[in-house]
Amino acid sequence: MGRLNGKTALVTGSSRGMGRATAIRLAQEGALVAVHYTNGKEAADDVVATIEKDGGRAFAVRAELGVTGDVHELFLGVEQGLKDRTGSTELNILVNNAGVMGGVAAEDTTPEQFDRLYAVNAKAPFFIIQRALKNMPSGGRIINISSGLTKVANPEEIAYAMTKGAVEQLALHFAKLLGPRNITINSVAPGITRNGNPAFDIPEVVDQMAALSAFNRVGEPQDVADVVAFLATDDARWITGAFVDATGGTLLG
Ligand code: NDP
């Protein structure tokens, strides 16, 4: 018996990286998972196929976040997918994972780049939560993916870190609002975690990144997915409004 049998979940940005690992992990625990993507249709279909091959249940949903009508489009797909499979649009677990990095020095960041970072990383999660709460019953779980960069300085990613600081505010304030509904909301902050970035193909760069962790390795997507999955279960019912450090000890200094 999985710990999430009978539950439904939406993981934004789950065609790749931590989102992919989280979707697969939640499905292993028994949840029916909406695998959200933007450009990576093939990758999202592959996540669904991987889950189904293991006996799990999932469906893919496309919606570009950070543009007008994004949340409406997302929930059209999510609700249809849930209804087709469960007869209901109830959503138990929301993981706000989709995000974009800045990669632009502070002095070169344009207002348009800044607005885009905010629209995808901070504004979209707020309105996805607002919309998801219409479908979320007692016992619901909201997990927002932040970043260790809210606690450790990186002058290369100031605007990006600002968006993640905003994301962390969601857990603090929504936790108070949602406690009476028996819904928890928490932030999970990964450290450097392997994704499709070409930097992970360069051994010397990986060594430098690994040295930032107390465990002397970079994070794997599954390292973060396991933490998210725990917060989604009933075992985590007494944790809300929390900042969960999933950086592999990077913040220890
Ligand atoms: P990836 O870069 O591997 O994947 C990003 C995912 O988000 C993809 O599924 C992508 O969809 C989706 N996405 C990106 N932009 C949009 C958009 N505008 N609308 C909808 N979906 C979008 O992600 P990571 O695993 O690296 O990161 C996941 C989260 O963790 C992010 O919030 C990131 O900021 C955070 N994080 C990452 C760290 C790291 O070292 N990797 C460290 C700390 C935090 P598609 O490919 O289909 O377009």
Side-chain angles (χ1 to χ4, degrees):
M1 281 286 279
R3 292 183 295 174
L4 299 175
N5 278 348
K7 304 289 187 192
T8 58
L10 164 61
V11 183
T12 66
S14 47
S15 50
R16 298 186 276 128
M18 281 175 255
R20 173 191 165 93
T22 300
I24 291 171
R25 185 75 182 80
L26 296 180
Q28 282 169 349
E29 289 285 358
L32 165 63
V33 182
V35 175
H36 162 256
Y37 70 98
T38 318
N39 298 312
K41 181 178 181 341
E42 268 184 33
D45 287 343
D46 182 69
V47 177
V48 172
T50 301
I51 288 171
E52 289 177 340
K53 190 160 62 69
D54 285 352
R57 295 199 304 159
F59 60 94
V61 179
R62 185 189 181 280
E64 180 175 0
L65 301 179
V67 298
T68 305
D70 53 359
V71 178
H72 179 70
E73 186 189 356
L74 174 63
F75 275 81
L76 276 180
V78 169
E79 289 196 332
Q80 189 64 55
L82 292 175
K83 201 155 195 180
D84 289 348
R85 288 160 183 81
T86 68
S88 147
T89 58
E90 190 170 282
L91 180 67
N92 305 105
I93 300 158
L94 166 64
V95 183
N96 271 314
N97 165 81
V100 281
M101 290 284 282
V104 186
E107 61 269 29
D108 298 325
T109 301
T110 65
E112 291 74 22
Q113 288 168 329
F114 188 93
D115 286 347
R116 172 85 181 142
L117 279 171
Y118 256 84
V120 177
N121 291 4
K123 183 178 177 185
F126 174 87
F127 284 102
I128 292 172
I129 291 169
Q130 182 194 65
R131 179 63 184 79
L133 285 171
K134 293 186 200 296
N135 302 50
M136 192 170 284
S138 174
R141 297 279 185 270
I142 302 170
I143 298 128
N144 303 312
I145 304 302
S146 177
S147 166
L149 288 184
T150 61
K151 310 281 186 218
V152 68
N154 180 346
E156 300 297 313
E157 290 288 356
I158 295 175
Y160 168 79
M162 287 176 71
T163 69
K164 293 300 190 179
V167 164
E168 287 176 14
Q169 292 299 309
L170 293 168
L172 175 65
H173 302 285
F174 267 115
K176 198 85 172 168
L177 182 71
L178 299 179
R181 284 178 59 177
N182 191 30
I183 293 172
T184 70
I185 175 166
N186 294 291
S187 308
V188 169
I192 294 176
T193 308
R194 194 182 301 278
N195 61 14
N197 190 311
F200 289 98
D201 297 330
I202 307 169
E204 306 84 70
V205 176
V206 173
D207 285 349
Q208 285 168 14
M209 295 192 287
L212 297 172
S213 158
F215 301 113
N216 198 33
R217 66 172 176 85
V218 297
E220 300 298 332
Q222 292 79 4
D223 293 323
V224 179
D226 285 348
V227 176
V228 174
F230 163 68
L231 288 170
T233 66
D234 188 54
D235 289 345
R237 63 193 170 277
W238 207 232
I239 303 173
T240 196
F243 169 86
V244 179
D245 176 345
T247 68
T250 300
L251 303 183
L252 298 173

